[in-house]
Amino acid sequence: MCGIVGYIGKRQAEPILMDCLSRLEYRGYDSSGIAVRQNDNSNNISVYKNAVRVEALKEKSPHLNGNTGIAHTRWATHGQPSLLNAHPHLDCSGRFAVVHNGIITNYQELKQQLIIEGHDIISETDTEVIPHLIEKYYKGNLEEAVKLAITVLKGSYAIVVLCKDEPKLVVAKMGSPMVIGISDCEKFIASDTPAIISYTNKVIYLEDGDVGVITENSIVITKNGEEIRREEKQVHMCKADIQKNGYVHFMIKEIHEQPRVIRDTIVDNALLTTKLTIGKDVQSLSIIACGTSYYAGLIGEYVIEELLGIPTNVSFGSEVNHRRMIFPNEVIVITQSGETADVLTSMKTMQKAGVKTLAITNVPGSTASRISDRTIYTKAGPEVSVAATKSFIAQLIALYQLTLLHPSMSPGLREQLAAELNTLPAKAEKLFDLEPRIMECARYLTQCTDVFFIGRGINYPVALEGSLKLKEIAYIHAEGYAAGELKHGPLALLCAGVPVIAIAAQDSNYEAMVTSIKEAKARGAYVIALADENDKTIDDSVDVVFKVPHTHFLLSPVLHTIVLQLLAYFTAKLRGCPIDFPRNLAKSVTVE
Ligand code: G6P
């Protein structure tokens, strides 16, 4: 998703902006660009942009000499990736340059009006109206012009504006994230903290409606015309967290971090008080999330209903805003980044309706953590690869703990599951011994055009997540199915050699899963099973089996998912896919 950075200080802006941009690559993008206010008498704004990755931008950009600048990675929403559509965007005179994250929903009408007034608008983007509006309102004071321009904007935005006539940056935020990094005699702006973490740990998070005027020595923030103080926060993240540390890809590094992530999330959440669990008297619960976090939600639903008997439903953040929904009093919001626009909008809708929100997020300081009533932090550490792995496993651990803390849990079962949770890091570690065999199996998948994942009960969402991972990073069409549904349609697609990946957990669904496997085999499918280490009978019914360490069936999704992550990773690697930055996808989806 679009990434924004800005710099003002005494150093050359260009290398710093390029470095910060490359730290945002993980968000996913298709174009990049930079604008610098020249260090000469002209103070002209020099721009270099194109539909290229940051590496190419760095290589091809002429040296832009100046100490103030802005830069951007674009993820196309309005208009295809191209030089004209890439940011920064300029006004007619080239006096203002703007980078923007978000969507201006009324840009068509603004554009028509601006064209009537003589503005030459050359891109297909929603963003380009912003520099033209600033040009229209500018009477010698950039801050005032930006304030007037945003009064006519509808939609969401985080913008940074550079002006050739004023040695400052002006920022404004509504709906999209924006952070200011503070250091002596220099300031950094970013849509996402990891972009600037190599330069400073001291940050201010802007709130919706804020407008900031930033010089190398000062930050002045106003909201509704009043000056306002935003607290400085210390960010606990270091450079090593966002480096590959010897691994070929972030994804495999992050998969391998999972035993540590499980351990850290357990230890940290051991401090959870009952204040952070599900309310004692709730009659029903909703969970809101998107993507992989949604699948964590489905597993959470299963665990909560099984252990607490509280009816729970899970909805996509993107659906909540477009239908009438009857919310219970409490809603759990699961979001790795804490910035997914669909999730944040639903949170706001629910909060307006008086619903209490409990966020599970991996990013301290994220919007979700700031606007929710209560927050549980997962301890995955920064996740760079676009495909979520360790953050998903950490979300599961948080959901287990949240459930175990509930006063209605039977103490015996609580103790048994808590003890079993503590064994998961070692069991997860053992799964890495399977890697050579998983890689062999991945070789088979590389030849396939369609793959089916089947699971039952609590492992049905694991089938969905396994198929999502394969689609996302290996670009192979995959479907996740509740195994019992195979016979209601998908069997029509099964023919000789089509892979069916079956999760055969030791639970009450086991016999039914074996039946589904037989149905698939009878049609010539190539069945790859995931089964418990104590399962001695499945080997005869399938083509390949991966045995996972025994655990309580409610916790088995953790181990099964890790095997499927590795399968997707090795398949993508053998196919030569750009694993960490899959085409068209973004890590943090900040537009609805
Ligand atoms: C994007 C990412 C997914 C992620 C989803 C929800 O689509 O590529 O990996 O699961 O957003 O993100 P969130 O940060 O809300 O968990």
Side-chain angles (χ1 to χ4, degrees):
M1 202 61 27
C2 299
I4 287 181
V5 293
Y7 173 79
I8 183 160
K10 299 211 182 310
R11 292 191 264 175
Q12 280 292 317
E14 185 189 354
I16 294 175
L17 290 170
M18 293 289 193
D19 182 44
C20 294
L21 269 196
S22 62
R23 310 256 167 233
L24 283 179
E25 287 194 303
Y26 75 99
R27 292 170 64 107
Y29 68 103
D30 44 59
S31 317
S32 51
I34 178 168
V36 170
R37 183 172 180 266
Q38 278 176 27
N39 239 358
D40 55 25
N41 291 338
S42 76
N43 291 140
N44 282 338
I45 294 178
S46 326
V47 180
Y48 188 77
K49 60 181 189 174
N50 213 334
V52 293
R53 300 196 73 87
V54 175
E55 264 316 302
L57 189 80
K58 265 189 215 168
E59 261 171 43
K60 299 208 174 113
S61 167
H63 172 59
L64 307 178
N65 172 28
N67 313 104
T68 309
I70 58 180
H72 191 263
T73 47
R74 172 172 189 254
W75 187 83
T77 57
H78 295 67
Q80 61 185 24
S82 69
L83 188 150
L84 280 187
N85 289 335
H87 299 216
H89 286 284
L90 302 176
D91 64 315
C92 301
S93 60
R95 182 188 261 171
F96 308 100
V98 173
V99 287
H100 166 224
N101 182 10
I103 289 183
I104 305 303
T105 49
N106 62 337
Y107 82 101
Q108 288 285 21
E109 58 189 85
L110 294 171
K111 188 169 170 175
Q112 272 158 20
Q113 183 58 33
L114 285 162
I115 290 172
I116 292 169
E117 290 167 10
H119 291 261
D120 192 11
I121 299 196
I122 53 177
S123 80
E124 299 159 275
T125 65
D126 52 331
T127 302
E128 201 190 347
V129 296
I130 305 173
H132 288 275
L133 285 168
I134 295 171
E135 177 181 36
K136 170 175 164 178
Y137 293 121
Y138 189 74
K139 302 267 176 322
N141 182 327
L142 181 64
E143 180 186 1
E144 289 311 317
V146 171
K147 282 182 174 167
L148 285 170
I150 59 176
T151 58
V152 300
L153 299 180
K154 289 193 183 133
S156 59
Y157 53 82
I159 55 170
V160 192
V161 188
L162 182 66
C163 170
K164 93 190 217 11
D165 298 329
E166 301 186 36
K168 60 177 68 146
L169 293 170
V170 175
V171 300
K173 167 189 153 49
M174 182 62 73
S176 302
M178 181 166 268
V179 58
I180 303 175
I182 305 163
S183 184
D184 287 344
C185 302
E186 54 184 0
K187 306 288 173 279
F188 305 83
I189 296 154
S191 46
D192 214 5
T193 323
I196 54 176
I197 206 66
S198 318
Y199 298 94
T200 178
N201 276 345
K202 227 192 306 169
V203 301
I204 289 176
Y205 295 104
L206 291 187
E207 302 283 342
D208 281 352
D210 286 357
V211 174
V213 177
I214 298 159
T215 67
E216 57 184 56
N217 291 314
S218 68
I219 300 170
V220 179
I221 300 167
T222 51
K223 183 168 185 164
N224 300 326
E226 304 275 316
E227 191 167 331
I228 196 158
R229 239 201 114 253
R230 296 269 172 241
E231 202 187 324
E232 278 181 30
K233 301 238 160 99
Q234 203 70 29
V235 183
H236 303 285
M237 198 189 281
C238 60
K239 223 171 158 181
D241 287 341
I242 49 171
Q243 287 172 342
K244 288 190 198 146
N245 300 339
Y247 283 95
V248 187
H249 296 106
F250 280 108
M251 183 175 179
I252 189 71
K253 170 187 171 237
E254 290 162 0
I255 291 174
H256 278 213
E257 281 172 349
Q258 292 178 120
R260 194 269 307 151
V261 168
I262 300 171
R263 213 171 290 121
D264 288 358
T265 305
I266 293 174
V267 171
D268 201 68
N269 286 349
L271 306 174
L272 288 184
T273 63
T274 40
K275 265 206 223 142
L276 274 174
T277 184
I278 301 156
K280 199 165 124 229
D281 303 317
V282 300
Q283 302 297 312
S284 64
L285 266 176
S286 280
I287 299 178
I288 310 283
C290 296
T292 290
S293 299
Y294 174 82
Y295 298 143
L298 291 181
I299 293 172
E301 170 193 358
Y302 196 99
V303 173
I304 293 166
E305 293 196 338
E306 183 79 17
L307 294 175
L308 307 180
I310 301 174
T312 304
N313 70 66
V314 191
S315 303
F316 290 115
S318 51
E319 286 291 312
V320 171
N321 295 307
H322 305 288
R323 55 170 286 200
R324 177 168 179 227
M325 268 195 85
I326 316 296
F327 297 116
N329 295 339
E330 247 182 68
V331 171
I332 299 175
V333 172
I334 309 176
T335 167
Q336 182 280 128
S337 62
E339 302 296 353
T340 302
D342 286 324
V343 169
L344 297 179
T345 312
S346 338
M347 281 177 86
K348 289 173 194 162
T349 311
M350 291 182 298
Q351 285 176 329
K352 267 193 208 139
V355 175
K356 294 276 169 243
T357 52
L358 170 60
I360 299 179
T361 183
N362 195 41
V363 183
S366 59
T367 309
S369 74
R370 284 180 285 124
I371 67 175
S372 63
D373 296 288
R374 298 173 297 157
T375 304
I376 293 181
Y377 292 105
T378 49
K379 292 283 152 176
E383 187 175 66
V384 177
S385 174
V386 165
T389 54
K390 60 177 181 168
S391 64
F392 173 78
I393 296 298
Q395 288 166 349
L396 295 189
I397 303 297
L399 285 161
Y400 290 130
Q401 294 204 295
L402 196 69
T403 311
L404 295 188
L405 265 176
H406 196 269
S408 72
M409 263 302 290
S410 102
L413 190 53
R414 175 187 293 145
E415 220 167 276
Q416 185 201 340
L417 284 169
E420 193 55 36
L421 261 183
N422 284 323
T423 68
L424 282 184
K427 289 176 179 169
E429 197 78 57
K430 274 193 79 181
L431 297 173
F432 303 137
D433 296 344
L434 294 171
E435 282 182 9
R437 287 190 52 235
I438 296 178
M439 204 178 315
E440 273 319 301
C441 191
R443 208 173 292 286
Y444 184 86
L445 296 191
T446 55
Q447 313 301 322
C448 303
T449 47
D450 307 286
V451 179
F452 291 88
F453 289 76
I454 55 172
R456 284 177 182 260
I458 196 166
N459 279 292
Y460 162 51
V462 175
L464 295 174
E465 171 59 7
S467 90
L468 179 66
K469 284 287 92 78
L470 193 70
K471 277 187 274 232
E472 280 182 306
I473 61 160
Y475 305 158
I476 294 177
H477 168 244
E479 306 247 13
Y481 267 97
E485 291 298 300
L486 266 191
K487 54 187 177 294
H488 297 297
L491 270 190
L493 296 171
L494 285 197
C495 46
V498 171
V500 172
I501 299 169
I503 305 153
Q506 287 291 310
D507 58 18
S508 61
N509 289 298
Y510 181 77
E511 295 306 330
M513 179 52 92
V514 172
T515 304
S516 304
I517 288 174
K518 295 235 154 87
E519 284 166 7
K521 273 300 319 161
R523 272 114 195 137
Y526 183 79
V527 178
I528 300 158
L530 273 57
D532 188 285
E533 61 187 350
N534 300 325
D535 185 340
K536 305 285 181 242
T537 57
I538 198 147
D539 305 56
D540 297 336
S541 317
V542 300
D543 296 282
V544 181
V545 58
F546 294 111
K547 299 275 175 80
V548 304
H550 178 73
T551 186
H552 191 286
F553 81 95
L554 287 175
L555 307 186
S556 66
V558 170
L559 302 181
H560 293 141
T561 304
I562 295 175
V563 176
L564 298 185
Q565 292 167 348
L566 288 166
L567 189 59
Y569 173 76
F570 289 123
T571 310
K573 193 170 174 206
L574 288 167
R575 282 168 64 92
C577 299
I579 292 177
D580 288 330
F581 312 113
R583 69 178 172 225
N584 302 338
L585 300 182
K587 179 93 197 139
S588 182
V589 182
T590 51
V591 292
E592 279 180 52

